[in-house]
Amino acid sequence: MTAEDVGEQSGAGGLLAILKRGAALSAAGVASVQVIALVQTLVLAHLLSPSEVGVFTAGTVLTGFVVVFSHSSLSHALIQRRDQVADAAETVFWATLVSGAVLAGLLLATAPVLSHVFGNSQVGQVAAISSGTVLLTSLLAVPDALMQRDFQFKRRVIVDPLNAATFAIVAIGSAAAGFGVWALVTGYYVSVAVSVIAAWWLSGWRPGRGRFRVGLWRDLAIFAFPLLLESVVERAIEAGEVVLVGHRLHTSALGNYRNGRRLAFLPVMAIIQICSYVLFPAFARIAGERERFRRGFLTALGWMWLAVIPASALLAVLGEPAVTLLLGAQWRGAGQLVEAMCGVGVGYALMSVCAEALKGAGRPQLINWMTGVGAVSAIPLILLLLPHGLTGVGVALSISALATGLAGLILAGRVVGVSRGELLRCLVPALLAGVIAAVATGLLEHRAVHAGARGVAPGLALIVLETLGFLGVFVLVLQAISPSTLRPLWSAARRG
């Protein structure tokens, strides 16, 4: 299906059908990725030490940072493009390929610096060898963007699960064979290479169908620059977190940080990825219809919020015992980080919907205000709370994410035309229900159950029961204070 096909269908409810299908396919793909990631994290936690995981995290700290220069921002510009798509794709391809090669070389040259920063020579070795993944990743920019632009969900259903499975199989196999930190490096390389092959095969795009045009690159770059700035600041903050934790604490704490961060993001990012993948192209198509855009924004925000609030509340009260039981006592710090990061998912949910709405409305420059809030809050808060260990880091990240999400809500509300009263009616009921259910479950866990202090099997069984109890309280409270919030859910369940 091409973008033109979508345009023809979007008038008479066709777009809604496409979005429902896309959300369902995205859900299947993202769910498989999250399951694989969870299993991989659990298995590797028993094969690798926190220090080994920490060395890999430190060695690849700049890899994700430089990838944004050669991939994500121009991809968004290509998705939003309405004309000269073939030339735009060719332009993006060569721009990202050249920048990827240059940045890979710079990363290789600066690898020794990381050894000095973290006081570990192996960190620099990991950084040097991993630098080539930047060039590989740049090859994904055009195929990924064209598939998302045309509402082709092969990326979510095939490429992403294949990437996750490849990393898990290679990394676990290599770790079991005793390769240590190099098991993660090998898995990283192979998974990126497999993703590139799959994306090119599935998208059907090949270079040479258009031509590189400097003027077109300039137009794409103007649209992409605010998004580039957002990504750079976000990655810089993540890099700062890694440097501070690894330098001020220890590489073992950095290993706990990496696994804790991954586990904290698993449930909420699954929800966000399912929705955001279809929201940007959908919002871009209805932005000219103000009332339709307003209703679509509120609907997307309400559904995202209804899913993220209970997931985040559960992390706040059951994160530490669950992680300790699953990974082992040496990973208790990761569990403490998971609980303290409970606010990050809430903030990211707001950021996601608001950012997609602003991009769809052609106002990506406003995202820089959100970026600014995150930039001025995250690192100072981490510095302030770092003496409290990983718990302090998690609290700092939660506060920063919530502040950034609220800033996005204010900006997007003005652009879309949503009043504060509408936003409060959309958000407050689920938030109140989540807080009440979390308090009840937390009191039960800490005063009576103590699941984390029991054996693995009985402890996990108790956590499952506590989760079911939490969900029961959440639904009952929400039904009591705002029956209309759950009505679409019950209707969808009956239709299903």
Side-chain angles (χ1 to χ4, degrees), residues 247-325:
H247 184 69
R248 295 285 188 89
L249 298 179
H250 192 268
T251 51
S252 61
L254 191 54
N256 272 287
Y257 163 84
R258 180 180 188 269
N259 276 352
R261 199 177 193 277
R262 285 172 61 84
L263 292 172
F265 272 106
L266 275 180
V268 294
M269 290 310 292
I271 298 165
I272 291 171
Q273 287 174 12
I274 291 168
C275 297
S276 64
Y277 192 76
V278 298
L279 287 183
F280 175 30
F283 284 156
R285 282 174 170 78
I286 64 174
E289 305 173 52
R290 188 167 182 81
E291 179 58 25
R292 191 180 178 195
F293 192 17
R294 188 188 68 82
R295 291 198 311 270
F297 174 79
L298 285 173
T299 300
L301 182 64
W303 278 99
M304 182 88 78
W305 194 249
L306 187 60
V308 167
I309 286 296
S312 298
L314 277 170
L315 289 180
V317 295
L318 298 177
E320 182 180 349
V323 171
T324 303
L325 288 168

Side-chain angles (χ1 to χ4, degrees), residues 314-329 331-332 334-339 441-442 445-446 449-456 459-460 462-463 466:
L314 277 170
L315 289 180
V317 295
L318 298 177
E320 182 180 349
V323 171
T324 303
L325 288 168
L326 289 169
L327 303 188
W331 297 97
R332 185 175 298 277
Q336 295 169 352
L337 181 67
V338 166
E339 288 194 347
T441 305
E445 165 62 23
H446 293 290
V449 177
H450 305 293
R454 303 175 186 272
V456 175
L460 291 176
L462 287 171
I463 285 179
E466 288 179 302

